[in-house]
Amino acid sequence: MKTDLCEMFGIDYPIFAFTPSEHVAAAVTKAGGLGVLGAVRFNDADELDRTLDWLDDNTDGKPYGVDVVMPMKVPTEGTAIDLTAMIPPEHLSFVERTLQQLGVPPLPEGEGREGVLGWLHSVARSHVDVALSHRPVLIANALGSPPVDVIEQAHAAGVKVAALAGAAKHALSHVRNGVDLIVAQGYEAGGHTGEIAGMVLTPEIVDAVGPDVPVLAAGGIGSGRQVAAALALGAQGAWTGSLWLTVEEYDLSSGTGIRDALLAAGSGDTVRTRVYTGKPARLLKTRWTEAWEAPDAPEPLAMPLQNLLVADAHNRMNRGDDPGTISMPAGQIVGRTNEVRPVAEVMASLVKEYDETVARLRSLG
């Protein structure tokens, strides 16, 4: 399982693992892939700095990446307090009424995190500044191409830049801006995703950007067979995410509800909705997402107001033990994440099944 990306990034396998957990990112990197830490949850750049200190010390000198979120349409800037004041009262009352109907208790005093501000450009730029003071080999942007000056800043530090794309025309725009590689994010993917399935999207983007721009296939990849399929479609590697939500090293769940929900979910138990961030994102489908589809539900707000609106609600639901209310980002591959395994075992199974798949195809003559 060797492509040019292995040499470019100094990795054994072209398997890139997006994760909000530094422990998962480190484990993937040490297992031969490229762990990519999602930075959007860090409203405080100093907290990200400390986390990257930990990654520097716990990856055996091996490479890792950092994923930031800089929407091409710049969101309204402001502090959490200022932005929260812009949320309509009817939205606030709907959220609280829904939580009561779902039986979700308040958080204990002093617990919880404020809404995510990491997709404000001012905060994301601080993430880039902090990341480049460490030793990532890749800066990825989850919502299109970063601004050109950010790409140039990364290149000046010797760091490659990736951008996610949900359509070939977007990929071409990213390349014109100077991005080094494209992540072809298919409809199946968790989190922010477009409307074109990976089987169609990946070869479209590969053909559009040409042979000099590496493409990673993303969305619905959780087995060695699917990695082999990605390479057959012309990609040089796989960008994975939801696959790592149920590994032993994942450490961002306080209650049992999140893991129980992920382990029980099938491939049809997700929904693409704007209720999480204000932009279309694939989440677990639960009673919470269904409540937002009711006739009396308000329209989701624009980014970043929607996440500020629902942040406390998600903190409350995710802390609990009821999988029926957990609505976190997850892709359709969640139907395969039905057991808890260590990262090294997951990586080994990806590589083994890839080898078996390639051997089977060769035997077909």
Side-chain angles (χ1 to χ4, degrees):
M1 195 193 292
K2 294 285 186 182
T3 69
D4 291 345
L5 291 182
C6 295
E7 183 176 352
M8 179 184 293
F9 291 108
I11 55 180
D12 296 328
Y13 312 114
I15 296 175
F16 293 62
F18 166 81
T19 173
S21 165
E22 64 272 22
H23 294 92
V24 175
V28 170
T29 282
K30 289 193 286 188
L34 189 76
V36 182
L37 178 70
V40 72
R41 68 182 177 91
F42 296 98
N43 289 353
D44 180 357
D46 289 338
E47 184 183 0
L48 175 61
D49 193 32
R50 292 189 295 271
T51 301
L52 293 179
D53 280 338
W54 186 91
L55 263 180
D56 290 337
D57 294 339
N58 290 275
T59 44
D60 298 338
K62 294 183 177 182
Y64 64 84
V66 175
D67 179 276
V68 300
V69 181
M70 303 184 79
M72 298 187 73
K73 181 179 179 182
V74 181
T76 302
E77 291 280 345
T79 67
I81 294 175
D82 292 338
L83 291 169
T84 300
M86 300 170 61
I87 296 174
E90 57 268 26
H91 283 72
L92 294 168
S93 61
F94 171 80
V95 167
E96 186 55 41
R97 184 171 67 251
T98 301
L99 291 173
Q100 291 177 3
Q101 292 170 350
L102 295 178
V104 179
L107 290 172
E109 187 174 352
E111 288 195 16
R113 296 172 64 95
E114 64 182 352
V116 171
L117 297 177
W119 28 60
L120 300 183
H121 275 219
S122 58
V123 178
R125 284 178 179 274
S126 75
H127 292 164
V128 174
D129 292 341
V130 167
L132 295 179
S133 71
H134 292 267
R135 55 173 186 83
V137 297
L138 177 71
I139 296 290
N141 189 42
L143 282 174
S145 171
V148 172
D149 68 293
V150 172
I151 298 173
E152 293 172 345
Q153 179 187 4
H155 287 167
V159 175
K160 300 291 187 182
V161 178
L164 274 69
K169 63 181 180 181
H170 299 153
L172 287 169
S173 174
H174 302 342
V175 172
R176 285 193 294 269
N177 285 344
V179 162
D180 301 291
L181 63 158
I182 300 296
V183 179
Q185 176 94 321
Y187 175 80
E188 309 95 325
H192 296 114
T193 189
E195 299 179 341
I196 304 173
M199 183 66 76
V200 175
L201 180 67
T202 299
E204 279 191 357
I205 288 182
V206 168
D207 292 347
V209 301
D212 296 331
V213 180
V215 175
L216 295 172
I221 298 177
S223 70
R225 281 175 290 169
Q226 289 160 326
V227 175
L231 270 57
L233 293 173
Q236 289 199 27
W239 178 276
T240 57
S242 302
L243 175 64
W244 310 103
L245 293 173
T246 55
V247 295
E248 285 182 2
E249 292 86 347
Y250 190 81
D251 58 334
L252 298 179
S253 306
S254 53
T256 63
I258 288 181
R259 181 163 285 181
D260 289 346
L262 291 166
L263 293 173
S267 57
D269 293 328
T270 66
V271 60
R272 187 169 171 269
T273 174
R274 292 177 52 228
V275 305
Y276 191 69
T277 70
K279 289 183 177 292
R282 186 172 298 285
L283 315 177
L284 287 178
K285 180 169 59 179
T286 64
R287 289 182 290 148
W288 167 255
T289 58
E290 291 169 352
W292 282 89
E293 297 172 356
D296 63 336
E299 282 293 312
L301 302 171
M303 180 182 281
L305 298 183
Q306 180 66 19
N307 188 261
L308 291 173
L309 167 66
V310 301
D312 181 66
H314 281 274
N315 286 334
R316 289 165 61 176
M317 290 184 290
N318 292 348
R319 187 185 187 279
D321 299 330
D322 180 4
T325 61
I326 302 295
S327 293
M328 66 179 295
Q332 292 178 329
I333 197 62
V334 72
R336 296 185 66 91
T337 58
N338 49 19
E339 61 179 324
V340 178
R341 297 190 292 165
V343 163
E345 183 179 315
V346 175
M347 283 290 291
S349 67
L350 289 174
V351 174
K352 180 176 183 291
E353 188 177 66
Y354 170 87
D355 289 340
E356 293 170 347
T357 301
V358 172
R360 181 173 59 82
L361 291 174
R362 285 175 176 157
S363 73
L364 299 178

